[in-house]
Amino acid sequence: MRVLVVVMLVICVCGVVDAGNLKARATDAADMKLWYEQPAKHWQGQPLPLGNGRMGCMIFGGVEKERIQFNVDSLWTGDENLVGKKPGVSHNVSYLAEGMGFYQNFGNVYISLDGHGGAARYRRQLDLSRAVHTVSYTKEGVRFTRETFCSYPAKVIMMRLEANAPGRYSGTIALEDAHEAQTVARGARLTAKGALENGLEYESQLHVVNDGGKVTSKDGTFTFKSCNALILVLAADTSYVMDHTKGWMGEHPHKRVAARIDAASAKNYGELLKNHVADHQSLFNRLELDVGETGPAQAALPTDKRIKARGNGVNDPDLTEMLFQYGRYLLIASSRPGALPANLQGVWNDSNRPAWHCDYHSNINVQMNYWLAEPANLPECHIPLFDLWTATVPLWRKATHMHFGDVPGFTFQTVNNIFGGCGWRWNLPGSAWHAQHFWEHYAFTQDKKYLRETAYPFMKQVCHFWVDRLKELPDGGLVVPKGWSPEHGPREDGVSYDQQIIWDLFQNTIEATKALGVDSAFRDRISELHKRLVGPRIGKWGQLQEWMEDRDNPKDNHRHTSHLFAIYPGRQISPARTPEFAQAAAVSLRARGETGDARRSWTWPWRCAIWARLGDGDTARHMIDGLIKYNLLPNMIATHPPMQLDGSFGITAGICEMLVQSHAGRIDLLPALPAAWPSGKVTGMCARGGFEVDIAWDKGKLTSVRLRSKAGGKVTLHCGDKTREVVVPADEDLVVNPDVF
Ligand code: FUC
């Protein structure tokens, strides 16, 4: 069992004070803008994303031709993917294309504007702090502005086109359905509806409100003449319901879509915008980060040029802050309660056959999407993941039975859709990795009701799968039989990836039973298995072994770092408690190379977080730089062609780990601060135990520490080589004297 070697000094180092002691935050909202001097031409990497969890859109910002490509998270082909499956057969990729289906493009809105060509002073920007996209330009002395947002409260996308002179808008508006449904115009509304081959029904509606001038329609297109301003309201939805007993489908979305448009178009635009910004900021403003100041020349560059300059080595801490906040922005935009979880591309996709189905990939990608949710203070954005996985359990159980016979609990295959379908290779500990997310939400929020009703039942069922499945070795050790280190090596017993994730599952489940005061006999059983699990091993070149047999090749630079799960996102290995294993993990990770066999969106963040957990801030920062240099598109989204959001979300989580850690039974402050960030601050970072942490530092040393917690409680703080125990009162800020560290 792990031994916690810390000196607990309970001394009076703290006081409760009013808010306001920390210096004003340096992360200026004005810096949180992505901006460009030209419209987007191509979907990949250029347009800018808006979203409300369920709907998303990419805005191109063209002057004469605007394009808004939009999505709804539930527009998927495919099905439960179990029909016709033979027991024992793991389906191949060609079957997948049929049953798994693909996340779909919903459609496009095109706006053509007469006489706007040749405009000057063009700028398009996405303000992350308000979640508002703006296009502006000047033509013949007239300033034109086009503002767009995607509202969570109103469930619509709104665009307002304005000018500082009357009658300047003439042109057309078209709504294009990506499945060739016909667009019909009635009054001020365009409608396109259809059904996919799996029976899923969908509908989009676009409503236009004109100020002055005239709007007419012909052949499903609006023509407007001499308008002063225009407001467009777009809504779309499908008949999807997250319930397999209903065949995943319910009512036609027509009424819902029409009601949303009616409600939004009856309201004042300014009020809708205000509600939207307030809603967004209620999440976005919880956390601020400052890791230094960017010089004025670099700060004045448009975002695409700034990313390039950073790649060429120009210092730009504000860009790192923006990258950090972009991860939070994108999660708010693609994963809100009531929505489906963020898929490989979040919610944005312009293709009907996107790469990897735009699925939920369970051997790193979907988990990485959610690593930031808790530490970066967006716990409610984690909820869609729990909702879909909970709804999918009956299907996973069915698939498990078909493959493994009448066994308890469940597991699944690597690739997952929204209908409970899974395919490609069996990812045996994948369900246990998901269980970690259920647990982490509790660990951070301390929400016992959620633990009792949602998390623990999931964790327990996953445990049931493993209780009888573990195989006993002659020495009594227990191994996962026939496992696989993701996308690497053969199927065999005792693979480190499997062992470490099952260790994590049992550890968290034991803690869950204690927190809830339930199932003591079950806990004893799991504890006994937990102790006997074959643990990490150090191999002949000092590496942490990927397999039970000591055969790792020091020249192997595979991109996956599955055997380092125990360091991050797991907690079996840490420099404080298991220094030899931590050392071996560093040897393995160094050998694996800075990014592995392919530069992928997600390889940088995983390595960043692992180096942070190993206490190497400089190498962790090198991973942020690598992502910026090699895998960031001009719109700052991480790429693995065409794009993969895991890298964007993951890097935020990696940065969190550099500044505050809380996995080892204490809160570590500045555990992996790179030399390049000598002074800075973070406010509103979350730690396990229900704490929020604000810290500031200068010349690498803490200058201010403030904690708060709803429930209050005792917590151990650690920084450098010093440990302090403090008691945080409920609902009050506790200021800790930084000089004690
Ligand atoms: C895993 C990775 C691939 C890709 C895919 C979506 O299989 O190995 O690189 O990211 O997920």
Side-chain angles (χ1 to χ4, degrees), residues 9 13 130 182 192 250 253 331 390 420 436 553 613 620 627 655 665 683 690:
L9 292 177
V13 291
R130 297 174 72 233
Q182 204 196 340
L331 195 68
T390 302
Q436 184 194 51
N553 176 354
R613 286 265 174 106
L627 178 74
I655 294 170
T683 58

Side-chain angles (χ1 to χ4, degrees), residues 669-670 718-722 741:
L669 304 172
L670 300 180
H718 184 90
C719 182
D721 56 1
K722 299 227 173 55
F741 293 106

